[in-house]
Amino acid sequence: MAATNGTPDSNGYLASDLINMALRQIGIGAMGTTASDADISDGVMHLNMMLAQWQRRRWMVPNLTDLFCISTGKSQYLVGPGQDFDIDVRTDKIEAAYARLLVNGATASVVGEFSGGDFSPDFQIGSNGLDSGGQPIDYPLQIIQSYEDYAAIGLKGLRTWPSYAFYNPSYPYGQLMPWPIPQAGIWELHIIVKQPLQASVAPSNVLNLPPEYWDAIMWSLAARMAPSYGQEASPTVTAMARASLNTIRVSNVQIPKLSMPAALNQSTPFYWPGLETRKL
């Protein structure tokens, strides 16, 4: 069931419907005329370029997703289509990361994330301390924010309990480098990334996005395409595009708890060579 004649189905509008509406806001195809195939083709290119830009903005992506893989003892894990962390579009950054210790017979996740099947109900404290009853135990990984900081680690081949992770957004596949390197088989590495928006959209494709995106796509496309027709976007188009994007920002924003860098946290006993480095 597809959206037709400007009426959305349960998933959204056709890309061509929103492109036609955007063109009418700048006078193309208005007053009973119809936009040409070339106009629609240009609109599709603008739409795909705009969605690619939106993908890189945390507040423009409606959902984060949890990707995972089982540790194999490697120092690097690839992120991208068909790789260790399998995702359609290689992500530009990771929002968070954690390592899941598979203890006492715990098995790997089926779908990752925090699904109910991951956690058994027999959690208990035993006489010898924590007995997970087969439950996996998650430990957060602190994100190393730059390659320069990762390069400052003196013993990169250290193999023990993982505490940190660096993500190199190389292309076509990103590289996750946990540190210390986790032992094979008993760790499940998780990264939290932005869920990919639709890519390579065709005119006949339904834009499967939350309803607040329809307005933002239409007005933003109008503002983007106006220079192609020798005009500046009108104040009305600009204002409507800004207002619709702000609605998405308010809807999607998530503010994590403020934390202090490890180098400034005097209560943190862990240290690696170079951690004391201060950059101006």
Side-chain angles (χ1 to χ4, degrees):
M1 183 67 179
T4 57
N5 299 322
T7 302
D9 66 6
S10 59
N11 294 319
Y13 283 100
L14 288 177
S16 58
D17 289 340
L18 291 175
I19 292 169
N20 272 309
M21 285 191 67
L23 289 170
R24 284 197 290 273
Q25 308 313 313
I26 56 176
I28 310 301
M31 306 299 292
T33 61
T34 302
S36 68
D37 290 343
D39 293 327
I40 299 299
S41 178
D42 287 349
V44 169
M45 291 181 65
H46 276 284
L47 174 59
N48 282 305
M49 289 187 289
M50 185 174 71
L51 290 176
Q53 291 288 317
W54 287 6
Q55 177 64 54
R56 300 311 182 199
R57 304 175 188 173
R58 168 66 184 88
W59 57 273
M60 287 300 302
V61 177
N63 187 34
L64 297 180
T65 187
D66 186 323
L67 305 178
F68 74 96
C69 73
I70 303 299
S71 62
T72 59
K74 297 188 298 184
S75 61
Q76 296 183 6
Y77 296 83
L78 297 182
V79 181
Q83 302 307 304
D84 300 305
F85 294 94
D86 191 2
I87 188 171
D88 293 339
V89 179
R90 147 254 180 225
T91 188
D92 62 320
K93 65 180 294 186
I94 58 176
E95 309 299 326
Y98 63 97
R100 175 167 294 175
L101 180 61
L102 306 176
V103 296
N104 295 340
T107 57
S109 299
V110 177
V111 294
E113 301 202 38
F114 308 104
S115 63
D118 288 343
F119 307 108
S120 60
D122 51 354
F123 179 84
Q124 58 184 323
I125 301 296
S127 58
N128 295 324
L130 179 63
D131 179 3
S132 71
Q135 288 195 75
I137 302 174
D138 295 344
Y139 298 91
L141 298 179
Q142 183 173 326
I143 305 300
I144 299 174
Q145 296 294 343
S146 72
Y147 216 147
E148 292 86 346
D149 289 334
Y150 179 78
I153 298 175
L155 186 57
K156 295 181 179 65
L158 179 64
R159 295 175 183 272
T160 181
W161 201 283
S163 300
Y164 295 83
F166 169 66
Y167 178 68
N168 179 27
S170 54
Y171 186 84
Y173 306 124
Q175 300 171 323
L176 181 77
M177 306 176 193
W179 188 83
I181 300 171
Q183 181 179 342
I186 67 170
W187 290 97
E188 188 178 87
L189 303 175
H190 289 248
I191 58 175
I192 311 299
V193 300
K194 297 182 290 291
Q195 181 173 317
L197 298 175
Q198 285 178 264
S200 302
V201 175
S204 59
N205 290 156
V206 174
L207 289 175
N208 187 13
L209 288 167
E212 61 268 21
Y213 280 76
W214 304 339
D215 196 53
I217 288 172
M218 188 267 288
W219 289 111
S220 297
L221 275 179
R224 284 179 63 100
M225 296 179 69
S228 299
Y229 297 93
Q231 57 179 289
E232 292 293 329
S234 70
T236 298
V237 169
T238 302
M240 293 298 289
R242 185 180 295 114
S244 58
L245 290 173
N246 190 57
T247 298
I248 293 175
R249 184 195 298 270
V250 172
S251 175
N252 289 346
V253 68
Q254 297 180 19
I255 302 176
K257 185 166 56 176
L258 181 66
S259 59
M260 182 179 294
L264 302 179
N265 188 352
Q266 301 302 316
S267 65
T268 301
F270 198 79
Y271 167 84
W272 76 72
L275 185 63
E276 77 288 350
T277 301
R278 300 291 189 273
K279 297 183 175 67
L280 297 179

